[in-house]
Amino acid sequence: MNRILYSGNRNASSWAFRAWLALKEQDIPFKEIIVDIRRPQRWSNLAEIGNFSPAAAIPVLDDNGFIIFDSNAIMEYASELGTNALLPEDIKARAKARSLVAWQHSTFGRICPCLFFESAFYPEKKALSDAEVTAIENVYSIWEDSITLFKGKYLVGNYSLADIMFVPSVVRFTSHYQPDERWPNVQNWTKILLSRPFVKEWLDEASQLEPIYLPGYRNDP
Ligand SMILES: N[C@@H](CCC(=O)N[C@@H](CS)C(=O)NCC(=O)O)C(=O)O
């Protein structure tokens, strides 16, 4: 089998997590090479990725010599290659799914940027600032509205790329601040998402690793 996913450390690579998840959910066989993106080896390892992928980042999917880079492209490829498309058939639901995917992919990282994915695995979590709580509550309300609108358990009805795209953000937010009864659909959705077998597989492995401490988490000087 000549399909290789260049992935990353389980407790650091939120983008690889998404690509890996889409391939797994679609039952697409692949070999995985984990690229160590911890500092300082991160830079030399990613430079090697740059020898065959323009973005010099992970994830990268090498499908028999054909290079697909960027998590979003790999997720769409997985959706089309597998038998259960991960985008809705309905044009509006599909546009909504793509809006949510694009939001996460482009600007969502600015929301609580100090709650990076790595921090979800810290044994001791910091207390959130008022601004962080407000930002997370705002996102919970947006997720709640989408689930309500599409009348299913997931963001746009059935399980889709939109749900997969948000899994790492769900992990980093809920590990610091759980949704309460103001967001009943989000409570249910996060529970379902986090108990999906492949999500659990990745997170179980992540939680067994040495945490990766990054500056900025505790607003240290
Ligand atoms: N837009 C890219 C982002 C990928 C990305 O930033 N990956 C990180 C590791 S999780 C990386 O390789 N960063 C290298 C860099 O910042 O140059 C994607 O969605 O695949």
Side-chain angles (χ1 to χ4, degrees), residues 10 17-18 20-28 30 159 164 167 192-206:
R10 293 286 188 260
F17 186 10
R18 298 169 169 105
W20 180 92
L21 205 46
L23 289 165
K24 287 285 196 183
E25 296 282 10
Q26 287 292 71
D27 204 16
I28 294 165
F30 64 95
Y159 187 58
I164 293 178
V167 166
I192 296 174
L193 264 193
L194 297 178
S195 56
R196 290 187 73 92
F198 292 126
V199 173
K200 281 180 65 162
E201 182 181 327
W202 180 288
L203 294 177
D204 285 348
E205 288 175 26

Side-chain angles (χ1 to χ4, degrees), residues 13 15 37 42 46 56-59 70-71 105:
S13 187
W15 296 111
I37 58 164
R42 173 186 186 93
L46 290 173
I58 48 127
D70 197 279
S71 57
H105 203 249

Side-chain angles (χ1 to χ4, degrees), residues 25 28 38 49 108 112 137 153 211:
E25 296 282 10
I28 294 165
R38 290 171 301 168
I49 297 292
F108 199 87
C112 300
E137 290 186 345
K153 291 183 185 151

